[in-house]
Structures are given as C-alpha cells and as structure tokens.
Amino acid sequence: MDTDRSGGFGVLLRRRRMTAGLTQEDLAARTGLSIRAIRDLERGITSRPYRNSIERLADALGLADDGRAEFIKAARPVSEDGDATRQPPPAGPVPWQLPAAATDFTGRSAELTTLTELLQTGGGPPLVVSAAGGTAGVGKTALAVHWAQQATGLFPDGQLYVNLRGYDPGQPMLPTDALAGFLRALGVAGQDIPAEQDDRAARYRGLLAGRRMLVLLDNAGSADQVRPLLPGSGTCAVLVTSRNALPGLTASDGALRLDLDLLPPSDAEALLTRLIGDRAAADPATVTALASQCAWLPLALRVTAELAATRPADPLASLAAELTDQQWRLDPLAAGGDSSTAAALTVFSWSYQHLDPGAARTFRLAGLHPGPDLDRYAAAALTGRQAGEADQALGRLTRAHLMHVTAPGRYGLHDLLRDYACELTAVHDGESEGQAALTRLFDHYLHTAATAMDALFPALHSRRPRIPPSASPAPAVTDPATAQAWLDAERATLVAVAGHTSARGWPGHATRLAATLIGYLDTGNHFPEAVTVCACACQAAREAGDRDAEAAALSGLALIDLQRGRNPRATGYLERALALYQETGDQAGQARSLLNLGFTGLQQGRYRLAVEHSLQAIDLSRDTTEWRILAQGLANLGRAELRLGRYLEAINHNRKAQALFRRNGDLSGVAETLNIIGAANQRQGRHRMAVEQHTQALALCHKTGDRAGQAESLFRLGILDLCRDRYQKAIDHHRQALAIYREMGKPAAGAYPLTYLGDVHLRQGYHRQAIRHYQEALPLFRQSGALAGQAELLNGLGEALLATSRPAGARTQYSAALALATEIGEQYEQARAHNGLGHVCRLVGNPARARLHWRSAFALYTSLATPEAEQVRAQFATLRPGAPGRSGRLA
C-alpha cells in the first residue's frame, strides 16, 4: 500500500480541489496534466512540480492574488539562500536501447573493472574504447554492450544506443540523423524535432540535463561524428567505441581512452573451448594453435568455433591444418600489412569456402545493401531467389557468424565482414551483376512501399507515381496493420536507399520513393526522415533534369515545413514547385501548388494573396479530376473571406465545399467547413447557431480521428463560451485544444488557444495570468509568420495593460496591432485596435483623438455587421471611460 508522503503542498492542493468541487479527473482535464500526475502531487510523490504545472493548477482552481501566491509558495519553497529548489529532470520516456549482449562473453575482466571505475558515477569525460593499432574485430562493441547490460542499475533514467556505422563502405550516419533518433527515443514528436543540427543538439542536451543516463556511441568514425552527441549533463556517462583512438576528441573534449588489444591467449583459448565443447577440452594444444591462427580476435574465434561445430566428426587438428593451408594461399598484403586483419580474413575465407553456393552468393551480395540491416525479402531481391531460399541462406550465414541477428527476422553484417563481402562481389560477380542486384533490391523496396501505401491511404492512390510490379517476392502488406508494421520496420533502410539511389545513379528510384513515402512520413510525424528523403529526391531530379519530379520533391519539403509552422520557407518551396509545373504544363501539379500557397497565405495573414491563389487553384481544378483541390480551394477561399470580414461570401463558399466533401464521403472536410461557417456566424452574433455547427464538427472529428479538427472545434467552442460569459467552460475547451496541439507537436497552432486563455483571464480580471499567456503565445506566432494571430494577441495585450493602468504600454500594443491588421486587411482587428486606442486617448485626457479612433472603430464594426458597433456608439456618445469590451474573436 502506498503511503502518503505529502507535505504542505499536497494537502493544500487536495483541499483546494475539494473546495472547488472537482475530482482528480476533473482537475486533470482542466490542466492537461495526467490523473497520475495529480495523484502523485497530492500524495507528495512528486515533491517539486514544474512552475508551468503549478500555474496550470492555479488557473484551473481559479486562484488569484493572495490565494494564488500562497499556493505557488507552497509548491516551490524557497531555500535558505533565497533560491527556489532546483527543478527535477524533465519527465519523459525511459529508453532502453542497448542491443543484446554476445553469448558466452569471456575474459576482459580488467577492462570491465576499468569501465566501472570510470563510468559508474557519470559526469566525467567520454570514454573511448578503441582498437589497439586500429584492428577491427577485437570485440569493442561486445565489451561495451556486455558492460552496459551489467550496469543498468547505475543509470535508472535509461540508455541511448546508436551504431554510427563509421567504417561502413557507404555513408556513415550523420550526427544530425543520430540526434533525431535520440530525440524521438526521449519523447520528442517527429514534427517537433528541430531541422538544424545545432538546434537538435541543444534540445538533446536539455532533455538529458539532470538525468542519470548512459549514451553508447558505437562504431564512431571521427571526433566530428561524436562531438554533437555528447550530453552537457554532469549526470550522464558516455561510452564510445571506434577502431581508432579519436585523438581529436581526446585533445578537445578531454576524452579518456581504453585501448582494447587482442584477447589474451588464455581468454581466447577459454572462449574457443567454451564454444566448441568437449573436443576442445580434450585437445588443448590444438585449441592453442587455433587461437593463434585467429590472431586471438573474438570475431575470428567465433567463426572458427562455428565451423568446427558444423564438422563434429573431424578432429580439431585437421581443422587447424586446413586453416594453416588457407593462410599460405592468401596474399598477406591483402589486409594492408595488418597481421591481425589478415588472420581474420583468412578465417573468413576458410569459413566462406565451406558455404553452399546459395549462401555464399547471399553473403557476397548482402555486402552491397546500403541500409543498417535486411530481411529475407531483401536478400531474395538481391540474389534473385525465392524468400524461402533466402531465409535458409541467412540462417546458414548467421550460424556461421558471417552475419548476425539485429532483430527478429532481420540480419546485419559486421563492418569488417561487409568489407570482405564487397571484395568478394567485385571478384566473383563483377560490377554489372552488382548493379543488377541493387536494381532488383530497389525495385523491391519501391514496389512494397507502394503496396503498403495503397493499403494505408487508398484514397490517395492516384496522387502517387505508378510503380511497376517487382519480380522479387514481397511480404503481404495489403492490410493497414501489416503495411504500417513494414514501413515502421524498414524506415531507416528506406531513408538509406533514398540517399544511395540519389547519389549512385538510380535517380528515378529516388524520386519515386520520395513521392510514394511522403504521406506515411508526414502523418507519422517522421519529419527528419521526410526532409532527408525529399532532399535526396530533389537533388536526383535536378541532376536528371526531371522537372516534374523536382517539383514533387519541393512540394514534399513544403508540406513538412507547413506541418512545423515554418510558413515562409514553405512558401519559397511552393513557389519554385509552381514555376516548374508551369514549365511542364502539369495542371494538377499547378493546382496543388496554388492550393498550398493559398494555405500558407492564410497562415501568414496574407488574405488577399490567399484569395488570389485559391481562386486560381479552383479554376485549374475544374479541368482535372482533382475534386479535392476544388473542395479544399473553396474552403480556403472561405477562410480568407472570413478574415477579410466578408461573412456571407465565407459561408457560401464553404457550403459549396461541404457539398463536395459530403458527396465524396470526406467527413473531415465536412467538419472543416462547419467550423468556418460557425466562425462566421459567431462573428455576426449568431451564437446558438455557431455552437451547433462547432459541436457537429467536433463529433465528426472524433469519428474520423482528426485531432487537428478536434482542436479547432474545441477552441472555437471556447470562444463562444467567452461570448456568453461561461468562463470555466471556455478555459476547459481552450486547455483541451492546447493539449491536443502539444500532443501533435504543433506548438505554432497551440498559440491560438493560449491567446484565448489570455482572453478569458482578462475578462475574469486576472490580468497577470492573461499577460503571461499572451507572452507565451507571441514567439510561436512570430515563428510561424502568423500576422493575424499576432494582431489578435497584441490587441489583447493592449487591453490587459490598459486594465492595469499602463496606457503608454497599451498604446504601443494597440498601434502595433493596428499596423499589422491594416497590412493584412483584417478589419475586425483594426476595429478592436481603434477602439482600444480611443480608450487610451480618453484616459490620458485627449477626447478629440478618442473620438477619431472611435469613429473609425464604429465604421468598421458597422461594415462588418457585428454587435460591437452598438457598444462603440454608446462610448462615442458619452465619452465615458470604460474598459474596452471583447465579445469574442476568431482564429
């Protein structure tokens, strides 16, 4: 049974909640915190809550003034030196990414002790486990993973692992890609992962601050590859494995070095004996000879032991003789004069010669695979065999330790073995067969990805490129569950394939793969991967002179920037794509580009431009089969008309769009039009009708799982709650909308419900809380270029400053809001700004100037036919000072 460890704050929180008549579930819903978080706070399990959580709780409980101050002080007591107690590390997932440890790990007791001494406290410099003399195969990864698996208790906040592939024949992993993987493991949604490497590194270091974690960076190729992945926290330990000592890391970052030499002869012999069994125990002299012939390399020892196991009737002495004979046959200079590597290659060659032809060919061609691992279908494509035959070959190679299992059904190659496989391919297969094998592989990935996308997004089949059937066997990915599972499992490989095909002469595969995968990468929030895939496609298309493919890749990059709220950059991509589509005469491509340009115009408050682009998209769509462009163009046109104060036109356009969406069964589109029509009705004071429309939209969005649509419906209902003075319901609706946007990783969209929360607190008289919400939302609006949102927010900030008797500050905010609203043609916000400036002028004793502003406000409100006109008329007639009114606004 859990004990109650609560101190003053837990008791106070419980008392305040019960006084407010709220359950823990009610309080969780109002704050966006989990029920468990509320429970842990009340029981004192969470002893030092975050400041943001405290503020949310105070808002939800309606605390103000002294009561609020008492509440915050109880939650964050001040220490004797006057500083608030230090925040605990941020909550989040606890990743456990270590691969499985090697079986029968033997020896290295001194190195294991050293690792424990140097890493158990964390906070020290990174420790590099390097191969003495640069020799591969000495067991660096095995040692690091074995120690880390034994030391899990030292790092209760988890372990991060990445294979940097620093010595692979292909492209080593870029630090920016490794950071994306780490951020996702730490709970950062794909769309919230920064685009630039420095920003990713900063976010990564912030998330690790205060956590006791181990970071294992395996197979690093250079100090530059490692340096961005070093945490800044003094509580984390970093373990790096590399073929070399990374002297740059030692010199610049104070890294410590643990040189890993060949296994001591006694340990090597013990490992062979353990792996081979009784025959080895009965013939220790031959075991000694075999260990020497393997140069005491763990990888070579394991390959030799497996070969011995496959020939149980042969004496070990005959195997040692064979290996000696093999050493004489090979060129000792083949390993660059490295005797240890030469010994390993001898063992590999000896083992390879005992493979059946199918397994041997699978091994050779597997070395060409550009991804981190492969499955039986990829192996079948490479070899031109059936999946069952590939499966048998992979099993044979795994048992021979020439490949290893990376996950159930997936296989990888040690980098030394990959090098050897590629050398064999060049000798036995030649360049033409290697090219043909890779072409079959890329055809397989492209065809299977297209099949999976058809299962997941059948309605968008016509928008994807036509992919011819592949001659290779493929997994069954014809239902959504298996399609999703395959895409998730192959995501890293598909990204690697995009890079390889773009750079190595398969431009058509690169461009078609990007056009095929963009929907999956977008909806799955795999934004870093989407950027890589689309950038590779863009480069390949440009070099091949394929303008349509380049335009499609640019459109994909724009889509990702739109999702991240980077509207100005998205606009640049779309303008380039439009120009290319115009050159090629692709009307559907032009219409889609114009539609998206209209959307970016809406997001940035460029309403007249949004109208122009939407009308052009509508006109072009009538000559194509793209009904969705026509419907969405009408909806976008309605949004722009709404912002420009043309409410009747906004409603008419969206009724037409709604009919198209209904006819084609697009319920999310129907919900969108209901929200726009409801907003137009709200602006004109028809609140009951607007509530019905937003409620219908919310129900449709729940039915379709449209989270963004749910959020919009909720915050629009919150606006109507404020119009009817239902403050707590307004807070609940806006908090729910904000929680959805944050969950989706769309902070820019969350700026709207944050602003509306400020409106509610302003109406309640909680001016400091209102200002805090406005200040939190403003940088989000600026980042996305949303001028209309900024104008709304600045008007609200002006009202809050005026209400707290700061007319000079209020004038500054109102003037800035007026300039922005005038620039974008947002008449409603112009009227609000004039109204507020009139109050400022009246308060500072300038009634003549107040009349001018109120006349402007009255004229604008009258032209919009909104109920605020009568309020301004009354103010103008009496010139009595009063608080500026807000009867509700629109996003």
Side-chain angles (χ1 to χ4, degrees):
M1 180 176 177
D2 292 332
T3 58
D4 188 336
R5 293 177 278 165
S6 60
F9 179 67
V11 173
L12 179 61
L13 174 59
R14 186 185 301 113
R15 186 171 70 242
R16 289 286 191 182
R17 175 178 60 77
M18 296 178 69
T19 300
L22 301 174
T23 65
Q24 290 179 337
E25 290 79 5
D26 294 335
L27 189 56
R30 291 188 179 190
T31 58
L33 302 175
S34 68
I35 298 172
R36 179 176 179 178
I38 301 294
R39 187 179 299 122
D40 287 350
L41 283 167
E42 291 192 355
R43 286 162 37 198
I45 294 174
T46 302
S47 59
R48 293 180 295 181
Y50 298 125
R51 182 61 181 253
N52 181 263
S53 299
I54 302 165
E55 296 283 0
R56 290 193 201 180
L57 289 165
D59 290 346
L61 295 169
L63 302 178
D65 303 328
D66 292 343
R68 188 181 187 89
E70 176 198 5
F71 187 79
I72 292 173
K73 183 177 180 181
R76 298 185 60 77
V78 177
S79 62
E80 293 180 0
D81 60 3
D83 293 328
T85 53
R86 188 176 68 84
Q87 291 190 27
V94 178
W96 302 98
Q97 294 189 319
L98 290 177
T103 56
D104 298 305
F105 184 88
T106 301
R108 304 294 195 193
S109 57
E111 289 87 350
L112 291 169
T113 300
T114 300
L115 288 173
T116 300
E117 291 173 350
L118 294 176
L119 293 174
Q120 66 177 343
T121 57
L127 177 62
V128 178
V129 177
S130 61
T135 301
V138 297
K140 304 177 299 296
T141 298
L143 172 69
V145 172
H146 179 79
W147 178 83
Q149 292 283 19
Q150 305 303 311
T152 54
L154 300 176
F155 305 102
D157 295 323
Q159 310 138 336
L160 294 171
Y161 170 87
V162 64
N163 182 356
L164 294 172
R165 304 178 68 190
Y167 297 93
D168 277 9
Q171 174 71 42
M173 179 174 285
L174 297 173
T176 186
D177 294 333
L179 285 166
F182 282 171
L183 289 173
R184 191 172 276 117
L186 292 166
V188 180
Q191 63 267 46
D192 207 24
I193 295 175
E196 303 302 326
Q197 178 174 299
D198 288 348
D199 295 332
R200 290 185 185 182
R203 183 77 181 273
Y204 163 71
R205 289 192 295 269
L207 288 172
L208 261 59
R211 294 186 178 185
R212 291 175 59 194
M213 296 188 72
L214 173 67
V215 180
L216 176 47
L217 309 175
D218 196 16
N219 287 324
S222 67
D224 289 340
Q225 196 182 19
V226 169
R227 197 167 285 117
L229 308 178
L230 300 178
S233 174
T235 58
C236 292
V238 182
L239 183 55
V240 185
T241 72
S242 178
R243 283 193 196 175
N244 64 60
L246 303 181
L249 202 66
T250 306
S252 301
D253 300 273
L256 304 175
R257 193 173 80 199
L258 175 61
D259 286 334
L260 197 62
D261 209 337
L262 307 174
L263 272 177
S266 59
D267 287 343
E269 293 162 19
L271 177 59
L272 266 181
T273 301
R274 180 180 297 180
L275 292 171
I276 295 174
D278 292 341
R279 280 189 299 161
D283 190 357
T286 301
V287 168
T288 299
L290 282 172
S292 175
Q293 288 170 306
C294 292
W296 306 284
L297 284 169
L299 179 60
L301 291 166
R302 289 181 180 276
V303 173
T304 298
E306 179 55 35
L307 189 56
T310 62
R311 298 166 62 181
D314 293 350
L316 288 185
S318 66
L319 296 177
E322 284 185 22
L323 185 51
T324 301
D325 183 58
Q326 186 69 21
Q327 286 173 328
W328 282 105
R329 293 182 185 182
L330 290 182
D331 180 1
L333 300 178
D338 184 334
S339 60
S340 297
T341 302
L345 292 177
T346 300
V347 172
F348 298 160
S349 173
W350 182 43
S351 180
Y352 170 78
Q353 290 180 10
H354 286 82
L355 295 173
D356 62 82
R361 187 163 180 267
T362 300
F363 173 70
R364 295 195 306 268
L365 295 178
L368 301 177
H369 190 279
D373 53 16
L374 73 163
D375 66 1
R376 65 178 186 147
Y377 296 102
L382 280 167
T383 58
R385 308 294 293 276
Q386 293 302 308
E389 295 173 304
D391 207 18
Q392 293 175 3
L394 290 169
R396 176 74 181 87
L397 292 169
T398 303
R399 290 190 296 274
H401 289 281
L402 295 176
M403 296 187 77
H404 60 274
V405 175
T406 60
R410 304 194 68 81
Y411 306 86
L413 280 165
H414 187 283
D415 51 9
L416 189 59
L417 283 162
R418 186 187 291 269
D419 291 343
Y420 177 56
C422 289
E423 290 176 7
L424 290 174
T425 302
V427 172
H428 294 282
D429 303 291
E431 183 178 354
S432 61
E433 175 54 25
Q435 294 285 97
L438 285 173
T439 300
R440 290 193 300 269
L441 177 73
F442 301 149
D443 285 346
H444 157 71
Y445 281 127
L446 193 54
H447 169 71
T448 311
T451 305
M453 291 300 293
D454 285 344
L456 278 178
F457 306 101
L460 300 180
H461 172 79
S462 62
R463 292 214 190 158
R464 290 188 287 273
R466 293 183 179 179
I467 308 297
S470 169
S472 302
V477 291
T478 53
D479 65 88
T482 55
Q484 183 76 48
W486 185 86
L487 288 166
D488 289 344
E490 298 289 355
R491 185 169 63 247
T493 293
L494 292 171
V495 173
V497 167
H500 193 98
T501 53
S502 174
R504 306 285 180 91
W506 286 269
H509 287 79
T511 55
R512 286 180 292 164
L513 188 63
T516 300
L517 289 176
I518 185 63
Y520 158 73
L521 296 173
D522 170 35
T523 58
N525 300 331
H526 305 300
F527 291 168
E529 292 89 343
V531 170
T532 299
V533 169
C534 290
C536 289
C538 194
Q539 180 68 25
R542 190 176 296 121
E543 292 179 357
D546 188 340
R547 295 178 180 178
D548 278 319
E550 184 181 354
L554 288 167
S555 299
L557 290 169
L559 174 63
I560 301 308
D561 278 330
L562 280 172
Q563 293 284 38
R564 289 175 152 182
R566 295 168 180 162
N567 299 302
R569 194 161 73 172
T571 299
Y573 285 135
L574 289 169
E575 288 172 345
R576 288 162 56 191
L578 177 61
L580 289 169
Y581 281 132
Q582 287 171 337
E583 289 181 21
T584 63
D586 184 340
Q587 286 193 314
Q590 293 175 53
R592 283 193 295 271
S593 298
L594 287 163
L595 178 71
N596 289 326
L597 281 168
F599 183 76
T600 61
L602 282 169
Q603 295 295 97
Q604 296 175 85
R606 311 291 184 183
Y607 300 123
R608 295 184 182 89
L609 192 60
V611 167
E612 179 184 340
H613 285 144
S614 297
L615 286 171
Q616 291 175 343
I618 290 168
D619 288 342
L620 281 171
S621 69
R622 298 186 194 280
D623 297 328
T624 72
T625 58
E626 297 275 1
W627 69 265
R628 192 180 300 275
I629 295 178
L630 175 58
Q632 193 61 58
L634 288 166
N636 287 356
L637 183 58
R639 283 190 187 274
E641 300 283 17
L642 177 66
R643 281 295 197 174
L644 291 168
R646 304 167 188 165
Y647 302 133
L648 181 60
E649 291 91 337
I651 291 172
N652 288 337
H653 287 312
N654 273 275
R655 282 178 176 159
K656 293 176 184 177
Q658 188 177 118
L660 284 168
F661 283 128
R662 286 191 188 279
R663 187 183 309 155
N664 290 277
D666 188 335
L667 298 184
S668 291
V670 173
E672 180 181 3
T673 59
L674 284 169
N675 275 328
I676 300 170
I677 294 170
N681 284 322
Q682 176 264 322
R683 276 282 181 90
Q684 297 175 89
R686 294 193 284 268
H687 296 158
R688 181 176 298 177
M689 187 180 299
V691 168
E692 291 175 0
Q693 286 154 345
H694 294 316
T695 302
Q696 290 176 36
L698 182 60
L700 287 174
C701 291
H702 278 300
K703 184 175 182 178
T704 61
D706 182 354
R707 299 287 283 160
Q710 291 173 38
E712 181 178 3
S713 302
L714 286 165
F715 76 63
R716 291 194 183 281
L717 285 169
I719 293 171
L720 287 158
D721 290 327
L722 180 59
C723 291
R724 296 177 295 169
D725 298 331
R726 300 177 178 179
Y727 302 135
Q728 191 54 59
K729 289 196 69 174
I731 289 173
D732 291 345
H733 280 133
H734 291 317
R735 286 205 180 282
Q736 290 176 55
L738 180 60
I740 290 173
Y741 282 134
R742 285 175 169 166
E743 177 187 319
M744 295 178 68
K746 295 187 174 184
Y752 283 107
L754 274 173
T755 301
Y756 303 143
L757 282 169
D759 296 347
V760 179
H761 289 310
L762 182 61
R763 185 75 68 82
Q764 290 177 300
Y766 302 148
H767 304 127
R768 281 174 33 189
Q769 293 95 303
I771 291 172
R772 179 171 56 81
H773 284 305
Y774 294 142
Q775 289 174 337
E776 187 177 354
L778 185 56
L780 300 176
F781 279 134
R782 285 176 173 162
Q783 175 191 342
S784 64
L787 301 183
Q790 293 180 53
E792 292 183 68
L793 184 150
L794 292 169
N795 271 327
L797 195 52
E799 292 170 13
L801 294 172
L802 187 60
T804 52
S805 301
R806 287 179 275 182
R811 185 198 302 274
T812 299
Q813 305 304 329
Y814 282 132
S815 297
L818 180 59
L820 281 175
T822 302
E823 177 186 347
I824 62 179
E826 230 290 12
Q827 296 185 56
Y828 189 83
E829 296 305 322
Q830 292 177 48
R832 286 185 59 215
H834 277 300
N835 189 26
L837 286 168
H839 282 285
V840 170
C841 292
R842 180 67 181 87
L843 189 63
V844 299
N846 191 342
R849 191 70 178 170
R851 286 190 184 93
L852 291 175
H853 282 298
W854 280 342
R855 280 197 185 101
S856 297
F858 178 73
L860 287 164
Y861 281 136
T862 301
S863 70
L864 295 171
T866 60
E868 288 87 352
E870 288 306 311
Q871 177 185 345
V872 177
R873 182 200 296 275
Q875 293 167 180
F876 180 75
T878 62
L879 272 180
R880 292 177 182 173
R886 308 178 67 157
S887 57
R889 302 184 285 97
L890 175 69

